Amino acid sequence: MTRTVIFAFYDKSAIIHDYVLNYLRHLKEVADKIIFIADNHTLKTEQDKLQGLVEYAEFNKHGEYDFGSYKRGFQYAQNSGILKHTDELIFANDSCFCIDSLLPIFEKMAQSNCDFWGITESKALVHHLQSYFLVFKNPVFTSSAFADFINSITKQVSVKDVIKNYELKLTSVLEENGFKPDAFIKASNDCDPMLRTFDLFDMGDVLIKRKIFTEKDACINSPRVILNQIKNKHLQAYNDICHYYKKTFSALFPLIMPADIEKIKHFLFQKKITNSGKLYIKICKLPVYRKELKHEN
């Protein structure tokens, strides 16, 4: 079984962080070649970090998000002849921390009678495989339906438009052309499965979305509790996560997390208008200003 990975990367500071390198090492356990496509330029010292890990790397600001990188990687793999010797094509991106080996996931999915699969499926908005990690078997990625879809990718206004036009549609386009999907973790309801990180842990997932540490509504579980669980079981991944946020957020991480900022702001300053029309301003929860607003007739 030969596999090729197309890895989509973007970092606003053009730094290839340790967690990305370790993710690539885990990918090397399951794949023969990695094509690394960045949506930014970077210094040669950063590019040199990839030596021995990737077959090909491209750094160019294209502004088409991860699907634009998938497109460029797919086209390179086609034009270079790599796909002629590939049984499975993997799309992966840097939006996740990989905390352990991917081998058990591939071993389980090898038993599935499917044509393409993802780590997680979702029923949010429409049924689809989530695009941060997708695996396509040879009949899929050599089909005209797949090539037409990938080659049609263009620059979108926002990441929401990328999700709407590409992530949410890819699964159904391939299904309509006779290909059968599957998922390592099935969707149990109409919610995004990434909201329940502990459930994913229990089911064997090893990819943890970065946004659970930065967006307050990205996960129903406590980011601190999640991080402590990772520390207890996957110390290297814990160190990678801390190192990443110390560089990109604050040297005080994990003492202070991005999700804490809104709580701190709310504690320092609160402004509230009651139903009776009174304005209250509090600093550190202490009232400092009160005014009865005039009602216009």
Side-chain angles (χ1 to χ4, degrees):
M1 176 70 70
T2 59
R3 299 188 182 101
T4 297
V5 179
I6 297 171
F7 191 86
F9 172 83
Y10 169 77
D11 185 80
K12 64 180 181 180
S13 300
I15 296 172
I16 303 176
H17 296 277
D18 290 344
Y19 88 87
V20 174
L21 299 175
N22 279 322
Y23 191 174
L24 295 175
R25 292 185 186 104
H26 284 304
L27 285 168
K28 287 284 284 184
E29 291 182 321
V30 297
D32 302 270
K33 291 180 172 62
I34 299 175
I35 298 169
F36 187 97
I37 308 294
D39 187 11
N40 55 257
H41 300 285
T42 194
L43 298 173
K44 186 178 183 304
T45 52
E46 291 299 312
Q47 297 181 40
D48 288 345
K49 294 178 180 179
L50 299 175
Q51 289 186 5
L53 288 173
V54 307
E55 175 80 9
Y56 171 79
E58 180 178 305
F59 294 85
N60 183 40
K61 181 61 181 173
H62 57 71
E64 295 180 6
Y65 297 91
D66 54 348
F67 270 88
S69 291
Y70 292 157
K71 176 183 71 175
R72 285 162 173 78
F74 174 70
Q75 291 171 344
Y76 173 81
Q78 266 191 325
N79 296 335
S80 65
I82 289 175
L83 290 186
K84 293 179 181 179
H85 309 285
T86 297
D87 297 311
E88 292 185 343
L89 180 66
I90 301 168
F91 283 179
N93 66 41
D94 68 331
S95 66
C96 298
F97 301 108
C98 186
I99 63 173
D100 206 348
S101 175
L102 292 157
L103 281 169
I105 294 175
F106 276 82
E107 289 169 359
K108 178 182 177 181
M109 296 310 297
Q111 302 170 23
S112 172
N113 183 29
C114 67
D115 299 301
F116 66 106
W117 58 272
I119 298 288
T120 51
E121 67 178 354
S122 174
K123 294 180 181 177
L125 300 178
V126 297
H127 172 260
H128 66 284
L129 298 178
Q130 296 187 298
S131 64
Y132 65 90
F133 198 97
L134 295 168
V135 181
F136 309 96
K137 296 182 180 179
N138 185 279
V140 177
F141 66 76
T142 57
S143 70
S144 59
F146 184 87
D148 290 346
F149 183 92
I150 297 300
N151 290 325
S152 71
I153 292 167
T154 58
K155 190 171 184 177
Q156 302 294 303
V157 174
S158 68
V159 68
K160 289 183 179 180
D161 291 309
V162 173
I163 294 170
K164 174 185 174 183
N165 294 318
Y166 301 129
E167 178 173 354
L168 296 183
K169 291 182 178 179
L170 178 56
T171 302
S172 60
V173 166
L174 294 179
E175 282 185 297
E176 288 164 6
N177 283 273
F179 297 116
K180 181 182 177 181
D182 200 358
F184 177 67
I185 295 175
K186 307 290 195 298
S188 59
N189 51 43
D190 60 357
C191 295
D192 183 346
M194 307 309 290
L195 290 171
R196 301 179 180 276
T197 299
F198 285 150
D199 291 348
L200 300 183
F201 278 157
D202 292 340
M203 290 184 278
D205 193 5
V206 296
L207 296 180
I208 309 301
K209 277 287 191 176
R210 286 185 340 208
K211 67 181 182 180
I212 69 172
F213 297 105
T214 58
E215 299 177 16
K216 64 177 182 178
D217 297 324
C219 180
I220 64 172
N221 308 121
S222 164
R224 276 192 175 78
V225 176
I226 292 169
L227 191 60
N228 284 335
Q229 184 165 330
I230 294 172
K231 182 180 181 180
N232 292 335
K233 296 183 178 181
H234 310 283
L235 186 58
Q236 179 61 58
Y238 170 82
N239 290 333
D240 286 345
I241 293 170
C242 290
H243 187 249
Y244 172 72
Y245 284 116
K246 284 179 184 294
K247 294 192 74 171
T248 62
F249 169 64
S250 169
L252 295 176
F253 186 93
L255 180 62
I256 296 179
M257 292 187 171
D260 295 328
I261 298 301
E262 287 302 315
K263 295 178 182 178
I264 293 171
K265 287 180 179 178
H266 184 70
F267 174 78
L268 294 175
F269 180 84
Q270 298 176 54
K271 180 179 178 181
K272 181 180 179 181
I273 299 175
T274 66
N275 292 334
S276 61
K278 293 180 180 178
L279 170 65
Y280 288 92
I281 294 178
K282 296 181 180 180
I283 294 178
C284 297
K285 293 195 174 183
L286 298 175
V288 296
Y289 183 81
R290 184 178 66 181
K291 179 181 179 180
E292 186 160 343
L293 303 177
K294 294 182 180 179
H295 294 281
E296 294 183 2
N297 295 325

